[in-house]
Short mmCIF file of all heavy atoms in Angstrom, two decimals:
data_model
loop_
_atom_site.label_atom_id
_atom_site.label_comp_id
_atom_site.label_asym_id
_atom_site.label_seq_id
_atom_site.Cartn_x
_atom_site.Cartn_y
_atom_site.Cartn_z
N VAL E 57 31.41 -14.36 3.02
CA VAL E 57 31.33 -15.69 2.40
C VAL E 57 31.42 -16.73 3.52
O VAL E 57 32.08 -16.50 4.54
CB VAL E 57 32.44 -15.94 1.37
CG1 VAL E 57 32.24 -15.08 0.14
CG2 VAL E 57 33.80 -15.70 1.97
N LEU E 97 23.45 -18.47 -2.75
CA LEU E 97 23.42 -19.60 -1.82
C LEU E 97 23.86 -20.89 -2.51
O LEU E 97 23.52 -21.12 -3.67
CB LEU E 97 22.01 -19.79 -1.25
CG LEU E 97 21.53 -18.63 -0.39
CD1 LEU E 97 20.35 -17.94 -1.02
CD2 LEU E 97 21.15 -19.12 0.99
N TYR E 129 14.17 6.93 5.38
CA TYR E 129 14.17 8.38 5.53
C TYR E 129 14.18 8.68 7.02
O TYR E 129 13.28 8.26 7.76
CB TYR E 129 12.96 9.04 4.86
CG TYR E 129 13.09 10.55 4.93
CD1 TYR E 129 13.86 11.22 3.98
CD2 TYR E 129 12.52 11.28 5.97
CE1 TYR E 129 14.04 12.59 4.06
CE2 TYR E 129 12.70 12.65 6.05
CZ TYR E 129 13.46 13.30 5.10
OH TYR E 129 13.65 14.65 5.19
N SER E 174 12.34 -12.39 6.19
CA SER E 174 12.24 -10.99 5.75
C SER E 174 10.79 -10.64 5.46
O SER E 174 9.92 -11.50 5.33
CB SER E 174 13.11 -10.77 4.51
OG SER E 174 12.71 -11.64 3.49
N LEU E 216 1.27 -7.38 10.66
CA LEU E 216 1.39 -6.13 11.42
C LEU E 216 2.11 -6.51 12.71
O LEU E 216 1.64 -7.37 13.47
CB LEU E 216 0.01 -5.56 11.73
CG LEU E 216 -0.01 -4.33 12.65
CD1 LEU E 216 0.72 -3.15 12.00
CD2 LEU E 216 -1.45 -3.92 12.99
N ALA E 265 19.17 -15.55 24.91
CA ALA E 265 18.05 -16.48 24.93
C ALA E 265 16.86 -15.85 24.22
O ALA E 265 16.69 -14.62 24.23
CB ALA E 265 17.67 -16.82 26.38
N HIS E 329 8.32 -26.99 19.56
CA HIS E 329 7.11 -27.82 19.47
C HIS E 329 6.27 -27.25 18.35
O HIS E 329 5.84 -26.10 18.41
CB HIS E 329 6.32 -27.80 20.79
CG HIS E 329 5.03 -28.56 20.66
ND1 HIS E 329 3.83 -27.94 20.42
CD2 HIS E 329 4.77 -29.89 20.69
CE1 HIS E 329 2.88 -28.86 20.34
NE2 HIS E 329 3.43 -30.03 20.50
N THR E 353 35.72 -15.86 11.18
CA THR E 353 35.22 -16.73 12.24
C THR E 353 35.29 -18.19 11.78
O THR E 353 34.82 -18.53 10.69
CB THR E 353 33.75 -16.41 12.57
OG1 THR E 353 33.61 -15.01 12.81
CG2 THR E 353 33.30 -17.15 13.81
N ALA E 366 13.68 -32.27 9.51
CA ALA E 366 14.14 -31.31 8.50
C ALA E 366 14.94 -30.18 9.12
O ALA E 366 15.77 -29.57 8.47
CB ALA E 366 12.93 -30.74 7.76
#
Side-chain angles (χ1 to χ4, degrees):
Chain E
V57 291
L97 295 115
Y129 186 83
S174 57
L216 174 63
H329 175 262
T353 309

